[in-house]
């Protein structure tokens, strides 16, 4: 057993059947160890079936305050929704509205609690909490997540702070340069700045988090370089596998087609061999039990 622990977690379970199928295949035939259920998705019942059929797949809650409709009556969370009662479709609008003081924290608390409560009523166990588009990295919203994690006895709240691996392998393989040159590096720095003001109080936390910079592009090449360059004893790797859905309307022009990249990367024989040789592939529940 390797001393290096790796959690491979797929976000967005329940968003669509194609995404659910990608997560099924990434667990059955790849290195996926964990997933996060999105209660406002259009395929939640199918997602529950997926989890019931795979008791070894770790499961948590992926709270969404963008994309979809709130669990709470829209009139009760009016600062979170558009005129048609749906969430704003992109993270940038949410972040902008929050920092301009247009979002009522009480509405955030109501909706976060509603989604967690509903998920807890349908899942036999929950070992982590995170959010769609990393909204919870806003310090005051992280405090809300931390509060409910304690109330619902959820041991792990994701801390989306991606650290660059400054290793010789990262440099010689070109992975460090590819990471710095990727447009996603801007989002990484934004989340890092927010993280500097966020009081991480989850009882456990991995040494590293990865998946912000190369979101939607976890190809075999990227995953191989990332795993070979890892310099941390424990890492949560965030991925977004899925099957391409031709008729699926998505507000995020990048991820529908790009999810196939993650699916192929996670089920690549080369990636599987590298991950199983160099890492202890675990769920967040297992990580929590080892680090109590």
């Amino acid at each position: 057993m390797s001393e290096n622990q790796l959690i491979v977690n797929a976000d967005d379970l329940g968003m669509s059947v194609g995404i659910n199928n990608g997560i099924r295949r990434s667990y059955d035939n790849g290195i996926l160890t964990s997933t996060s259920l999105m209660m406002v998705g259009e395929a939640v019942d199918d997602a529950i079936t997926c989890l019931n059929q795979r008791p070894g797949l770790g499961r948590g809650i992926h709270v969404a305050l963008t994309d979809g409709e709130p669990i709470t009556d829209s009139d009760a969370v009016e600062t979170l929704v558009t005129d048609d009662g749906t969430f704003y479709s992109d993270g940038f609008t949410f972040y902008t509205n929050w920092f301009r003081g247009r979002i009522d924290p009480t509405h955030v608390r109501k909706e976060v609690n509603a989604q967690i409560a509903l998920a807890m009523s349908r899942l036999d166990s929950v070992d982590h909490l995170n959010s769609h588009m990393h909204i919870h990295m806003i310090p005051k919203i992280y405090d809300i997540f931390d509060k409910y994690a304690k109330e619902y006895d959820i041991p792990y709240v994701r801390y989306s702070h991606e650290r660059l691996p400054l290793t010789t392998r990262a440099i010689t393989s070109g992975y460090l340069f590819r990471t710095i040159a990727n447009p996603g590096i801007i989002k990484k720095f934004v989340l890092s700045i927010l993280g500097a003001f966020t009081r991480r109080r989850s009882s456990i936390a991995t040494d590293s988090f990865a998946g912000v910079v190369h979101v939607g592009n976890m190809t075999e090449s990227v995953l191989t370089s990332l795993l070979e360059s890892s310099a941390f004893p424990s890492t949560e790797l965030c991925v977004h596998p899925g099957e391409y859905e031709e008729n699926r309307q998505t507000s995020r022009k990048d991820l529908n087609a790009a999810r196939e990249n993650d699916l192929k990367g996670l089920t690549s024989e080369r990636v599987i061999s590298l991950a199983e040789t160099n890492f202890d592939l675990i769920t967040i529940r297992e990580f929590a039990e080892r680090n109590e």
Side-chain angles (χ1 to χ4, degrees):
M1 181 183 295
S2 172
E3 293 182 358
N4 295 321
Q5 301 172 97
L6 178 63
I7 299 159
V8 186
N9 188 83
D11 288 358
D12 300 339
L13 180 70
M15 181 179 274
S16 73
V17 172
I19 291 171
N20 293 352
N21 287 339
I23 290 172
R24 285 183 171 96
R25 291 169 58 188
S26 297
Y27 175 73
D28 294 345
N29 306 308
I31 65 170
L32 192 74
T33 65
S34 177
T35 189
S36 306
L37 178 61
M38 186 175 177
M39 294 306 298
V40 301
E42 63 189 40
V44 172
D45 289 342
D46 180 64
I48 299 294
T49 299
C50 168
L51 292 173
N52 288 340
Q53 293 171 342
R54 293 164 179 80
L57 179 60
R59 66 279 318 264
I61 305 169
H62 191 58
V63 175
L65 300 178
T66 57
D67 278 343
E69 299 180 8
I71 300 297
T72 312
D73 185 88
S74 59
D75 290 338
V77 290
E78 59 183 358
T79 62
L80 301 180
V81 299
T82 62
D83 291 340
D84 65 0
T86 61
F87 290 132
Y88 291 95
S89 61
D90 64 284
F92 179 78
T93 300
F94 184 94
Y95 280 99
T96 300
N97 285 346
W98 175 272
F99 287 111
R100 288 182 175 178
R102 296 176 179 174
I103 293 179
D104 186 341
T106 302
H107 296 169
V108 174
R109 283 194 292 272
K110 284 182 181 179
E111 182 60 21
V112 170
N113 186 41
Q115 290 186 30
I116 295 174
L118 181 58
M120 295 293 288
S121 73
R122 301 202 62 183
L123 297 175
D124 55 353
S125 66
V126 170
D127 63 21
H128 67 271
L129 194 58
N130 57 46
S131 69
H132 199 44
M133 302 184 187
H134 307 282
I135 294 298
H136 73 289
M137 286 300 287
I138 295 173
K140 288 186 178 180
I141 297 181
Y142 192 95
D143 289 343
I144 293 170
F145 274 60
D146 184 76
K147 172 182 181 293
Y148 287 124
K150 288 181 171 62
E151 287 187 9
Y152 287 98
D153 196 26
I154 300 172
Y156 181 98
V157 180
R158 174 185 287 168
Y159 187 68
S160 312
H161 174 37
E162 186 160 359
R163 299 166 63 186
L164 298 177
L166 302 177
T167 62
T168 301
R169 178 59 185 166
I171 297 170
T172 58
S173 69
Y175 176 71
L176 183 61
F177 174 77
R178 290 166 66 185
T179 299
I180 294 172
N182 191 303
I185 196 71
I186 297 173
K187 185 174 182 180
K188 173 253 185 295
F189 283 125
V190 170
L191 290 174
S192 295
I193 292 169
L194 291 174
F197 294 94
T198 297
R199 296 176 60 195
R200 183 175 63 179
R201 291 171 294 185
S202 177
S203 58
I204 60 167
T206 54
D207 298 293
S208 177
F209 173 81
V212 172
V213 177
H214 295 285
V215 61
N217 192 38
M218 289 293 179
T219 60
E220 178 185 89
S221 175
V222 169
L223 282 172
T224 298
S225 295
L226 188 155
L227 295 177
E228 290 178 340
S229 302
S230 177
F232 308 105
S234 61
T235 301
E236 181 193 352
L237 172 60
C238 171
V239 293
H240 296 83
E243 295 176 343
Y244 178 69
E245 299 168 279
E246 184 142 3
N247 297 321
R248 176 169 165 72
Q249 297 295 318
T250 175
S251 59
R252 305 182 71 190
K253 60 183 178 181
D254 56 335
L255 279 191
N256 188 16
R259 290 180 188 274
E260 286 275 359
N261 293 331
D262 287 31
L263 175 57
K264 292 175 182 176
L266 292 166
T267 55
S268 155
E269 291 186 6
R270 182 182 177 195
V271 170
I272 293 171
S273 176
L274 181 62
E276 291 181 344
T277 301
N278 296 328
F279 296 90
D280 187 12
L281 292 165
I282 60 174
T283 65
I284 292 175
R285 176 73 63 192
E286 291 169 326
F287 178 75
E289 290 172 351
R290 296 179 188 181
N291 293 274
E292 286 180 324

